[in-house]
Amino acid sequence: MELAEADTFVATYADHPDRERAMRGLTLQTWLLARSRRLHAAAMGLDTDPVRAHLAEWDAIAKQVYLASRRVSAGREEPRALFPRLAECLAADHIAFSGPVETPAVSTVDTIDVPVTIRDSVTAVIGTVLGTEPPADARTLGDIPGFSSFRMMEIVERLESDLGVEFAAEDLVPEKLTHVDGLCRAVVAAGGTR
């Protein structure tokens, strides 16, 4: 995809008046784009840190779009930041697949301490959804058997329901929602106190 086409591609979904239809379509498209990038990297034998990081970004975007689509279908606001993020990822295809360029990994996970009561509530919800609570020192949920993007959405919906909060659309990014600290900070940002 040429970069000029990428901007048009992203704008088509960002500006479409039927938000639910646009997000359903974008969910499929980002899944297909992420899959095609993985297949391309495998076929070309591209197994470098920058390529792995780029593929991880594609996976994160696909998850974020899926979450946004679920939110929009429930009548809630979508995170508008996902559209520039998608455009940046499309632009980065040319860099990631062109040669060995090292890019430092920047964590978007908020590791600031949170109140114990909130951490307890969050881990209890995680335990209910996954059938096992994360260990006390756990930071990522991806290591827990049974965790997936579907379970991630169940955790978000259950936290909002059980704790009486609504996450800000901009907090609905996999980098935050797949980490105990990120979920705790999203609860705090949404006004959760327990």
Side-chain angles (χ1 to χ4, degrees), residues 46-58:
L46 301 173
D47 189 25
T48 63
D49 287 341
V51 170
R52 282 191 296 274
H54 185 62
L55 294 175
E57 177 66 5
W58 269 110

Side-chain angles (χ1 to χ4, degrees), residues 20 67-77 153 157 160 166:
E20 192 170 346
L67 287 168
S69 180
R70 291 279 303 260
R71 301 287 284 190
V72 168
S73 69
R76 295 182 174 164
E77 183 183 342
M153 194 63 214
E157 290 172 349
E160 289 181 324
E166 184 172 330

